[in-house]
Structure formats: structure tokens, C-alpha cells
Amino acid sequence: MQRPNLSAWLYVTPLMLVLVPFFLLPTLVVLVASFFETDGFGGLLPTFTLANYVDVLTSAQTFLLYVATLKFAILTWLFTLIIGFLVAYFLVFHVKNQLLAIGLFLICTIPFWTSNIIRMISWIPLLGKEGLVNSTLLGIGVIREPLEVLLYSGLAVVIAYVHQLTIFMVVPIFNSLARIDKRVVEAALDAGASRLDVMRYIIIPMSKSGIALGSTFVISIVMGDFFVVKVMSGGGSASVVSAFYENVGVLQYPIAAASAVLLTLVLIAMIALILRVVDIRREITQ
Amino acid sequence: MRAGAGDIELAGLCKSYDGVTNVVDGVNLRIPDGAYCCFLGPSGCGKTTILRMIAGHEEPTAGEIVIGGGNVAGLAPVERRTAMMFQSYALFPHLTVRDNIAFALRVRGQSKAERYKAADVMMEKVRLTELADRLPANLSGGQQQRVALARAAITEPRVLLLDEPLSALDEQLRVQMRQELRRMQRELGITFIHVTHTQLEAIALADIVVVMEKGKIKQSGPARDVYAYPCDRYVAEFLGGQNVLSGKVEKVGDRFVVLSQPNRSGIQVRLGTEARVVVGDRIDLAVRRDDIELVRADAGSPDDGATALPSRVTAIEYQGSFVKVMLDTVPDEDFVAYVPERIFFRDPFNVGDVLLATWSAGRARVLA
Amino acid sequence: MTVALGEADLPMIRSRRSSAVARGDRRPWTFYALAVVFTLYVAALYGPMICIYILSFQDIRGGLVFPMKGQSLHWFIDLFTQVRTGDVKGSFDRSIKLAALVTVITLVVSLMAGLAFRRRFFGDTVVFYLMIGSLVAPGLVLGLGIGLLFQWIGISPSWYTSALGAQLSWTLPFGVLVMFAVMSRFNSVWEEAARDLGATRWQTIRLVVIPVLAPGLVAVALFGFTLSYDEFARTLQTSGSLNTLPLEIWSMTLNVTSPSLYALGTVTTIVSFVIIGACIGAIIVINKRRGVRATGH
């Protein structure tokens, strides 16, 4: 089977010509840089030192950053999962008209193709101290003082994440639910299963792959993000990557690189854990 | 050498995908120019693979394919001057009927005017002229088949290869399009090779029927020969219409044998000719289902020289022009009589009735 | 006889069917509950965006929050005339060019990769996981790596070299994944038919594969363009001295506190919507012409 391999590689060569110099090599560069020393002016001294890792791993700040980032990741994951599942379930099982379902699905996906930053700052007129939410609540007399926690807080960060990332749950869960043969559900109901049984024994197990895929997206994006945290927390919270960005800003490349390597390892571990549930390759290519 | 003729010879043709098992296993066959040949067999018997090797979409692992006197190994489909009509047609969904038909001319670099003129002639021939500007999705199954046929025929091939051409159609249309295929074949005057798993299709259409099993040819010949004189149990059962009795020869007499089976012995069958079998042989006997007459047990014994086996009716199916009566004549094996409708309803049987299944000597054949 | 039995069966089957239909007609309470969830979700999805579009049309007294102060196009004019807000026009120009470039490359490369991945080949898993890795890698980290790499090689980063590559490392995995979905509905028998009719490999791709896949390719283009046009994290450290539009917006969020920020949001979203509308419209038209029902699953 020499020929099919050759022509297949011919076809993926352009892809590799992008992935190697713009993903593989940069990743290796970061890995290598994490063992170098800095001259303090942005230059790197090609030595081999573990000092950067020692710095990162022994710093109490690292621990706090991970706790903060993981907190955001888990909260975001939970909310996107619940909302995403309900939305996808509604579209697949409750909207009987297929054309309408596709239309509604498109409505959910369109914001994905618009600017994330704009969607994030669009919360300002709503959540700000004089924003729509506060003025409404003040107006109907639920609160006396404007709520400060709405914007520039952890809450605002989670809201912005959920707002941006729920789509990453909706799409894969929608796909896996759409693949369930409706007759299977009818057969289960005919056999006397309750609607709860159908949910527990048929729908959730069969949507596992979609959930896993969505979770991978959501968690890797939150763990790798810094600008939502920066803008929406008003500088009050930090994340692993925002600390990384600050190190880069002061030209501390080796330390930044070491923390990036650590983050990558943590990410890989988390994704590997998720993907134990599902063969992602089969799921995507089938 | 008669170049250009659609005369096909397969010699020792083998195909293996894994290097271990042969999907096509040593096939030898000669199909004369202008014949309508049907490959018949269950799915996975290698018939489609043979078709694809003739077409040039797959290379044989061993053996030769000779078309019109020339070995076609390594040639592209166009150079072989074969054309294929794919299962479910593979019409290009983005092209109109006219552009689909003209496709082969387009890739040969013919001008638009030139190729449309040829396509229009071809569309006339298959009665598609009114549909010229439609897209495939807006055609019925039968129309799609005509487009596929026209698209394949426009290259003026010497051999047309048809892969399950009727399987995408519903029952009624299938019979209609079957005639259409035969008409086109006569009109074009080229060799048709048609792959199917439906015996009815094969015997209705073909000059030559080739029955296949597990990569090998079991029997090939004119439709009537294969149907009426199957060479073995497999062919008999695949083509249907035959009862096959198998067993060990207990006794050989003057124009009769007595068979025994594990659960029944003393099955005496009369033969038209001297049986070339000896006691102890395991043999298969075939009797056509429409040769069997059913006689009530109390109606007196049948003619001399006929076989008569006592049987009980186990099921009855009405088939329109005849009635299918299933019997327990031999344990563990199907035994069926096709009784013409008019005869059956003169004195209908019921399930559970005991009767004699009879047929005259000479109707039973010993299979190889 | 069996015939009679078969007829006796029919009414029973019919009655069971009709009961099933009746069951489907009565909507369970979950339908209404989920419809509310869905409506709230869509409202939360679009509501905030609509707020800033409205607020961007205030007059000179306008602030960042409601209530609306007057109505005018003041902040849109301000956006393109004031130096204070930075080089919006230039970055807009750059972003469109870059997105167009990324779209073309993403289309070609994704199509080729999609064709290759139809069959298993030696090393396919490596390529696949490289792609997934590139997709989930933190953009900022990748940006630093690309920046350092260019620094070591001695090429100065710019939007049409390093940023182009950085964006492709993000749009290509998406493009290829969309291509996988598109390819799963592509029957290779069309290629075989083309070959049978004498088409060369290139003719087959040009006359059959590309036109048949057209709706899917439009979708890939949509991903390529919008993902590049809005890309931020990977571009931040690779664009060199000149900003792309999202970088411009980013710097505005840090130092501009007037509705011109909203005006920019409105402008860039209009561009996105035009692109999205054109792509979805094209897909619907192509599919309708071919008599395929909707964009179908």
C-alpha cells in the first residue's frame, strides 16, 4: 500500500507546512526557552537550568493562579454544559419541523462568527454600576444601592465566558443528539420506560461524545484565556495566562515559558481525562 | 485480432485485498461481442469486483483481461473503451441532464456547441429531451437511470458495465427499466455486463448468466440452461424453482434410487435414465417445483414410473398465478410445490392435509 | 390462510399508529420549559450586542450606559477622523486583507487535507493530533513561541508573515474539521464516475469535486474569514508594529471610554453579518438549486 500513502501525504503537505512552523516549532521553542536564562533585556542565554521551573513550582502565587483559573474553568464548564445541553435537546427533540430546527440552530451559531471582544464589552452597558440591570433593580425597589459585583468581578468573568462559550457545547451536543434514531426513543417508551429513564439510559449515554468534545473546547479556551479575565474582572482577578502575559511584558521569557509548559501539561492531563470517555478521532471523522 | 469488438476474455482472474484471501479466485470466462451477460450471486461473491476490474477501477492481482483481442492491463477506463453505469448512478448533482451526458466530451476538450449537439442526439435516443435542463435531484429514479445510461453510452464504448442498475428502483419501475436496458443493448449493439443479486433480473435479461459463489464461477451459460439444469445444489437453490433432495444412496435399482437421510429412510425416487451412482454415495437430486403434482392420499396410486412421496401440508401461500404449497416431504429441508391457481382452487388443500407429492420419472435430475 | 391473517393484522397496526401520533401531538411540559430556556438563551446571546449597537448611535453627549443621549452618527464619524482613537481605518484595511488571504489559504489547504483524510494513511494520527493540538493551544503561548522563533531566525514579525501563520494555525484546524463533516456526505463514486468518463485527476477536482462540495467550501470560507477577522490572542504578539482591527479594539477597551468603542463594535459586527449572510445565503441558494432540503443533517 505504497501509493495511497504517498498521495495522501501530498494532500496534507500544505497543512503540515503551516502546522510545523506555526505550531510544532513554536511549541518546541517555548519548551527550549523554559530551560534558558534571561539577560534581563529580552535576550536569552542558551544554558540549561531548571531554575525557571523551580521558581514557578515553588511560588505560592502559581498555586493561587491555578486555583483561580480552575475555579473559572469549572464554573464556566458547568453552566455551558447545562445551558448547552438544554438548548441542543430542545432543538433536536422538541422542534419537530426540521427546517425550523436548523434555522434556530443557525441563530445560536451566528454570534460565534462575530468578534469575541465586542461581545464581551457589550456587557458593560448592562452590568455596569449605572447599567441596565442595576437601574432596573433600583427602579423596582429590589435593591437600594447599585450592585458592585455585577461588573469588574468574578461574576462578570463567568458571565462573559458562558456567553462566549456555550456555543461550543451546543454544536457538538446537537450533532450527537441529532444522530440518535428517534425510533429508539419511541421503542423505549413503548417498552414502558419513563421519560426520565429515556434520558438516563438513552439520551445522556448517546450524547457523551458530544459532551466530551464540547468540554474539551470550553476548558481549553478558559484555561488559555487572559483577556476576558483582564477586562471583565477590572484587573481584580488574574489567570495563569494573564500572569504569563505580564512576564512576557517585562521580558521574563524563560519564566513565562516555564509556566506555559506547566499550563500545557495541566491542559493535556485534563483533556486526556475527558477524552477517556470518547474516541475523538472516530467521533470527528465519521 | 478483431480490435474494437466488445469480445471479452477473462483468464485466471484473481483479486486479493489482503494478500491472503481471494475475493475473486481464478475466474475464466469468455463473453462474445454484443452479448448481454449477467453476473449473479449474493453480495460479497466477487461479482462487482470483476466488473470493476474490467472497467479498470481496480487492478487484478493475477490473471488477464482481454477485450477485443487486446490485453487491457494497466489501461485507463477510457483507453479500454469501457463505460460503467454505477449503482445508484452517481449522477453529478450540480450538472443538468445535458451537462451530465456531455461530461465525457467536455473532458475530452470538445467545444460547447459540439458536445451539446452529441448530447442532444443521445437524449433523443433515451427520450430525455424535455428534461435536458433539469438537475438530477429533480428526476425520478427511472429518468436518472436513463441519464446514467446516456452518459455512459456517449463515449461509444464497446462494453457497458452495469453495477446493480435496477436496485435503486421500486418493483414496478424495475420491470419497465429492465426492458429499456434490453432495448438499449440491442440498439447500441455492444456488450453489456450486468451485475445483480436478483435471479429474476438475470434470467429475464441475459444471454449468458454467470452464477458466482465466493469468488468462483459456479455455472455459466444461457439463462434457460442455468435455470432448468443447475449443475449443483448451490446454483439450484440460488436460482430457485427447484427442490433439492439430498441423502445417502441406500439402494440402486432399475431406473430408481432409494435415499436415506438421518431422520428418514426409504425415499424412493424414480429416474428417467440409468443412474450413475452406487450404494453409499451422497447425492443431491433436483426436481422443479412446478413439476410436482399433489394428489390426495385416498385418490388412488399415481401412474407407474412416477415417484410418490407421502407429505403433510405445512403452509400455503397464494402467489397470484400459482399457489405455493409447502410440504414436510423430507424432514429439515424445504420441499415446495407450485400448483397452478386454477388447479389448486378446484379442490383446495388446507394446512395439515396429508397427500402424495408426485412427479413422473425423468423429472428428477441427479446433481453433480 | 396467511392472506386472511394478514388482513386481520392491519386494523391493529393502524390503531397503534394513530395512538402514537396522538401522543406526539400533546406537547409535554418540558417543551414549554425548554422553549423558555431557549428564548432566554437567545435573548442573552443577542441582547447585550443589540444594546451597544443602539448606544453607538448617541450624539456627542453620549456615555457608556443607558439612557440614550440623543441620536446621531457622531461616534462613527469620530471613529474614522479622530487620531485619539488610533489608526482604525488602517487596521480595518489590514484585517480585511489578512482575512481574505487566510480564507483563500484555508480553503485550499482544508480541501486538500479533507481529501487526504478520507482514507487511513501512514502517520494520519500524528497529523490529526498536531491539528487538534494547534486548535486547543493557548493562543498567547503560541504567539510567544512564534515571536521567539522569528526573533531567533532573524525575521521581523509582521501581519502578513508571522500573524498570517499564527492565524492559520487557528483557522486551518477549524477548516479541516468542517471539511470532515462535509466530506462525510461526499460519495467518492462521483470521482470514480468522472474517471470512468475520461477525466484527469485535475479535471475531476475542478469539474466534480469542487462544484459538488461548493456549499461545504463556502462554510469553510466563512470560518476562515470570520475567525481570522476577529482573531486576537494569536495575533497579539505576532503582528509586528502594525495593528489588526481586534488589536485596535483591544487597545481601545483599555483607554477609550466613549461610545466610539461601541461604534467600532457596530461597524465590525456589520461586516461580520454581511459575510455571514452572504455565505449562508450562498449555501441555501446552491442547495435549493440542487433540490436538497435545507443545509440538512
Side-chain angles (χ1 to χ4, degrees), chain B residues 151-193:
Chain B
R151 184 178 72 176
I154 203 158
T155 57
E156 291 174 1
R158 45 187 180 176
V159 180
L160 192 68
L161 304 154
L162 306 99
D163 188 5
E164 302 267 5
L166 301 169
S167 64
L169 306 173
D170 57 37
E171 190 56 41
Q172 258 189 334
L173 207 53
R174 210 175 295 167
V175 177
Q176 213 179 322
M177 294 316 290
R178 209 158 73 188
Q179 291 162 8
E180 179 99 8
L181 282 181
R182 192 70 232 220
R183 184 180 69 85
M184 281 299 289
Q185 194 256 345
R186 262 195 303 269
E187 227 162 83
L188 295 169
I190 58 174
T191 312
F192 269 38
I193 301 181

Side-chain angles (χ1 to χ4, degrees), chain A residues 6 32 76 128 158-159 201 235 240 278:
Chain A
L6 196 71
V32 170
T76 306
V158 174
I159 288 176
Y201 299 125
V240 175
V278 51

